[in-house]
Each structure stands twice: as structure tokens, then as C-alpha cells.
Amino acid sequence: MSTAPDTPRNAQDGPRAGGPDAFAWNGPAVGLLDLDAFFASVEQLDHPDWRGKPVIVGGSADKRGVVSTASYEARAYGVHSAMPSAIAARLCPQAIWTQGHFDRYRELSAQVMGILGDETPLVEQVSIDEAFFDVTPGRFSKESPVEICRRIQTRVAQLGVTCSIGIGVNKTVAKIASEREKPRGLTVVLPGTERVFLAPLPVGAMSGVGPATQERLRKMGIRTLGELSRADVRELERSFGVLGPRMAERAAGLERSSVAEAAAPEEVKSVSNERTFSHDLTERADIEAAIKHVAGLVGHRLRKKGLAGTTVTLKLKFDVRQSRTAQRTLSSPTSDERAFGRVALDLLSEIWTQGTHVRLVGVGVSGFDGPRPSQLALFGEDAKREEPDRSGLGRVTDALRERFGDDAVSYGRDLRFREKTSDTAPMHKDA
């Protein structure tokens, strides 16, 4: 059962209402805010006629798209994030589809994070729709943590979207609690009740315990967090190394974790782009054109960030499960796709053979610490073939696109793939 902000769920006692003293709190109070079906909820907010209808944000079925987010109406048909769009379309043929508006999502996310920042300086955003926050009594406020969470949910709802919050003594408990009641749930795990709350849950409820780990634990006779908390620590260490005892500690609710104070964004260490194609590429000429196309996207973003790198990475994905990467270091940093794109092309032969089907191409640039001339000797003739930096031309192209739109200037490599890429939102990463 979902619970409204004024009726929080206590993990043991069921839904309860009351004033500020209804939930006594002694010790750390860590919350996890998770925006409910965020992308789809924003689309329903901005398109009132979509409210109450199944909405899917993602790429189209005929172009190998995947689902980014599905509204709760679509989830009722079995649609979920990361599902291939072709399957989602079969499950929910009446769904409304949109590729998404990520600038709008970022704008609303920033407003939500601002609401958290009004309550505490200890806000640790972990994704566009999720953040930990610390509201330990006496640290920044004398209010009940539950009352603070109620207020946060009310203010978020006033933006036109909703959130679910879990609150406990540490991050593990807060994260699991946030997923118990959705949408618009408030799940409270009072200090001292962590073990009782966690014990009956499957081990997969704990973040970091994926299918492979679950299977290994199952073979050890461990299926629930309670069983994991009581497992022989030495046996866990033999099977999982230092992570084994750590898992048992978290399963018992004994994790000691803190919310990091908001800090300046971390220094970017790499910039990359990926493109998935609606049909496999099998000819070398097509794959090379795709590499040039993706390299051009990376070059644009490097110049926009004022970055130049020395390490080039090429990634190819052959099917859903199989991919390969290759990497090479340049003699001097560059943001010019003609320079690092040429090296990416050279890497193709290292990870691809004629006739192999390619469904995704990715290019990345890293190594922003400056030139590394000692690398020249490692590559011999390859180093000599690096093209001169012509990033000035790239900057002119960037300026024209900024002023007149992305289609103002297009190279043949871009036109070639305009209708051939998946229309799922492009993957571009700063790490």
C-alpha cells in the first residue's frame, strides 16, 4: 500500500499518523529521496492530456530503442526501465511514446535538490532522480526527521511530481526503505529496528547484490538478508573476499555511512559518446563512417568543456552481451576529432574482423593532464600518422551549430547515419 506524506509507514507498525513526536528518533537519520517514475512524470506534468495514461520515455521499437522510464500506468502492463522497446510495445501497444526532454528533467531535478538543500547542507545526489540527505536531530535542526521528510514530499509535490523517501540510520537501510512503498511512499525504519526490517527481505533487495552474487549466495543456502547477516563471516570472506563480511554487516543494519556535504563537481576524467544503430553494421566503410560520426560528437563536447585529451578509446558492441574496447595514447592533447578520430579508426582492426556485426560504436577521450611525449616511442609509425590539430575548424562548426541549430552544418558522415541510429536518447558520458 502506498502512503501519503502525512501518513508515513513505520517499518514494523504499519501506517501511522501523528505530530512531531509520533516518531522518537535517537541517532543518525539518513534519508533517500527517489523521484517516482521521474522522466514519465515530468512528461505527464507538461502534457496534461497524458495524465492517467501509460507513458513510455525511450527509443522506438523499430530502431532498437530501449525504455528509459515508464509511467506507473505503463508498469501495470509489465513495462520497465532498460526493457527493449520492441517488447514494451507488445506489452502495452496503447502507450504514449516520447524520446524525452532531458534539459527539462535536469531543470526539475535541480529544483528538487534545492528543496533538500533548504533542509540540510548534507545532500549527496547519486543520480538525476535520487539523493541521500542527513537530517539527524540536533545536527542542523531540532525537528523530527519524519516531519522534515513530510515537508520535503509536500514541497516536491507542489512542483508537479512526486517522490518516495526511505529513512533510517544508514544509507543501506534508507535505500531499501525508499523502495518499499511507491509511489509517494514514506517508509520509516526507527533506530534499533533495522535488523527486523531487513531480515525477511531477499538478498537482491540490497544494492550491489546482483544476479551473479545472488546465485552464489543461494548455493551457500543464503536467500534472505537475515540469513546473510547470520552467515559465517569466514566463509563469506573465502567466497567474496573483503566484500563478504561487508555484505553481512550491511544485511544486519550495522553499516556506518555518512552523507557527503555537497561539493564542487568532480574533475572530468573522460568524455565519450555512443551510438546504437537501428540495423547492424557489417561493412568496414560503414563502421569507419560511424566512428567518424561519433568522434565528431565527442570533439564538439570536448571543445565546449575546454578540454583536450591524450588517450583515445574505441568501443564496439556486437550484441546485447558482447563488446570489446581498444585504447591508444597520443603524443599531445587534442580536442580535434580529425586527430583522435584517425587513431580510433586505426584501433578498429584490433577489435573487429570483416563480417562481424556491429550494433554500437563508442568513442572516448581521456588523459586531460597534458602531453606525454614519452609515449611516442611506443607506437612508432602509428604516432607519425597522427593528423595535425585542426580544432579551429571544429570551433567554427561549433559556433554555427550553436547559433543556427545542430543541422546548420553537417558532414557526409553525419548525414549517412541521420536515419540509421537508434532514437533512444544518445549516450554521452563525463566520468
Side-chain angles (χ1 to χ4, degrees), residues 61-98:
D62 59 350
K63 291 191 174 182
R64 285 185 171 168
V66 296
V67 175
S68 295
T69 308
S71 69
Y72 284 95
E73 294 85 357
R75 294 183 190 190
Y77 291 86
V79 180
H80 59 77
S81 300
M83 172 181 282
S85 296
I87 297 176
R90 289 198 297 270
L91 291 173
C92 189
Q94 72 274 40
I96 299 168
W97 288 77
T98 174

Side-chain angles (χ1 to χ4, degrees), residues 14-340:
R16 292 175 54 186
D21 298 325
F23 292 89
W25 202 281
N26 182 25
V30 176
L32 189 281
L33 178 148
D34 188 0
L35 290 163
D36 299 320
F38 182 46
F39 297 169
S41 294
V42 175
E43 296 297 336
Q44 290 176 319
L45 170 66
D46 292 346
H47 301 85
D49 55 321
W50 292 3
R51 296 172 189 173
K53 299 177 182 179
V55 174
I56 298 174
V57 179
S60 57
D62 59 350
K63 291 191 174 182
R64 285 185 171 168
V66 296
V67 175
S68 295
T69 308
S71 69
Y72 284 95
E73 294 85 357
R75 294 183 190 190
Y77 291 86
V79 180
H80 59 77
S81 300
M83 172 181 282
S85 296
I87 297 176
R90 289 198 297 270
L91 291 173
C92 189
Q94 72 274 40
I96 299 168
W97 288 77
T98 174
Q99 293 179 34
H101 301 85
F102 290 89
D103 287 343
R104 173 67 170 137
Y105 306 155
R106 283 189 285 268
E107 173 191 352
L108 206 53
S109 171
Q111 293 179 48
V112 173
M113 298 307 153
I115 289 172
L116 290 179
D118 289 343
E119 301 291 349
T120 171
L122 296 181
V123 178
E124 185 178 330
Q125 185 171 359
V126 292
S127 67
I128 193 171
D129 60 355
E130 198 173 24
F132 288 105
F133 58 96
D134 187 317
V135 285
T136 301
R139 178 166 289 178
F140 304 107
S141 171
K142 295 182 179 179
E143 275 188 281
S144 159
V146 178
E147 288 301 302
I148 294 174
C149 290
R150 286 173 171 153
R151 182 165 58 247
I152 289 170
Q153 285 191 305
T154 299
R155 291 187 61 191
V156 169
Q158 289 170 351
L159 296 176
V161 295
T162 65
C163 66
S164 295
I165 295 178
I167 186 165
V169 298
N170 57 47
K171 287 181 175 178
T172 292
V173 173
K175 170 66 173 173
I176 295 175
S178 72
E179 298 170 348
R180 294 302 95 190
E181 294 290 326
K182 281 180 163 292
R184 209 175 179 222
L186 174 53
T187 302
V188 179
V189 184
L190 294 173
T193 67
E194 300 81 27
R195 189 182 290 268
V196 176
F197 167 67
L198 296 170
L201 301 178
V203 291
M206 192 165 70
S207 60
V209 181
T213 300
Q214 291 178 52
E215 178 60 21
R216 291 170 66 186
L217 289 170
R218 186 191 65 79
K219 291 179 179 178
M220 297 169 65
I222 300 172
R223 291 176 173 81
T224 68
L225 292 177
E227 292 169 342
L228 179 56
S229 71
R230 298 187 298 270
D232 187 302
V233 175
R234 289 169 297 182
E235 185 178 356
L236 289 173
E237 189 168 18
R238 282 195 296 270
S239 297
F240 299 99
V242 294
L243 293 178
R246 170 74 169 156
M247 285 194 299
E249 180 183 57
R250 294 176 64 206
L254 300 176
E255 174 193 58
R256 293 184 178 182
S257 52
S258 58
V259 178
E261 187 167 0
E266 291 186 9
E267 181 182 354
V268 176
K269 296 181 181 179
S270 66
V271 173
S272 64
N273 270 74
E274 295 177 357
R275 280 291 188 271
T276 299
F277 299 96
S278 55
H279 299 285
D280 287 351
L281 307 180
T282 57
E283 299 298 326
R284 187 180 189 95
D286 288 336
I287 299 170
E288 288 184 344
I291 292 172
K292 293 177 182 178
H293 169 65
V294 178
L297 301 175
V298 175
H300 172 67
R301 292 179 54 238
L302 285 170
R303 291 186 291 274
K304 193 171 184 178
K305 295 174 180 294
L307 296 172
T310 56
T311 301
V312 183
T313 301
L314 174 66
K315 173 183 176 180
L316 300 181
K317 196 167 188 177
F318 307 117
D319 56 38
V320 175
R321 294 172 295 275
Q322 185 182 13
S323 63
R324 294 187 65 187
T325 61
Q327 194 173 81
R328 184 169 298 176
T329 302
L330 304 176
S331 60
S332 59
T334 182
S335 62
D336 179 16
E337 58 265 29
R338 294 159 192 78
F340 68 78

